[in-house]
Amino acid sequence: QVQVVESGGGLVQAGGSLRLSCAASGSIFSINAMGWYRQAPGKQRELVATITSDSSTNYADSVKDRFTISRDNAKNTVYLQMNSLKPEDTAIYYCNLDYKTFLRTPRIYWGQGTQVTVSS
């Protein structure tokens, strides 16, 4: 009953920019937080950035001052503006949804992921 649509990934040269979008819909009572995680080849999935319903944000040290996460609560959409991209940012980026069902059951939902490739 929950859907997450991710977009904005692609191939970009080092120093370039991309903007990721993640739109959530379906049987959602409320959203506690949304965020982005990434997984590079041979690595574990790691936090990139999160934003709560009251707009509190959290960033990985490696992306601070380069990435900006934002949210449109009315559209249940989260964005990740990625500037000054580095080859080390190459990974599959996954949208994460922390929400409650109409029965107030807390749940986590993962998007299918979108590829970001930064060439040097």
Side-chain angles (χ1 to χ4, degrees):
Q1 296 294 324
V2 173
Q3 299 84 41
V4 170
V5 179
E6 300 158 306
S7 63
L11 175 64
V12 66
Q13 292 184 337
S17 299
L18 287 173
R19 190 192 190 205
L20 305 183
S21 298
C22 176
S25 62
S27 301
I28 300 169
F29 174 75
S30 63
I31 296 176
N32 181 59
M34 296 182 72
W36 291 94
Y37 293 70
R38 67 187 182 187
Q39 187 167 22
K43 304 291 185 179
Q44 295 189 23
R45 189 174 300 184
E46 66 176 357
L47 168 73
V48 178
T50 61
I51 185 167
T52 64
S53 59
D54 63 354
S55 297
S56 177
T57 59
N58 184 40
Y59 295 91
D61 289 341
S62 60
V63 306
K64 288 181 179 178
D65 302 320
R66 297 190 298 121
F67 293 7
T68 301
I69 190 168
S70 61
R71 179 182 176 186
D72 185 335
N73 290 338
K75 298 181 179 180
N76 287 341
T77 300
V78 66
Y79 306 93
L80 185 67
Q81 179 67 45
M82 304 186 293
N83 297 326
S84 302
L85 283 162
K86 305 175 181 179
E88 306 93 275
D89 296 317
T90 295
I92 301 175
Y93 284 69
Y94 297 91
C95 181
N96 175 266
L97 173 66
D98 179 356
Y99 74 103
K100 289 184 178 179
T101 69
F102 288 108
L103 294 178
R104 318 300 172 87
T105 302
R107 289 185 178 177
I108 300 294
Y109 188 87
W110 291 96
Q112 66 180 8
T114 182
Q115 178 70 46
V116 171
T117 302
V118 184
S119 64
S120 59

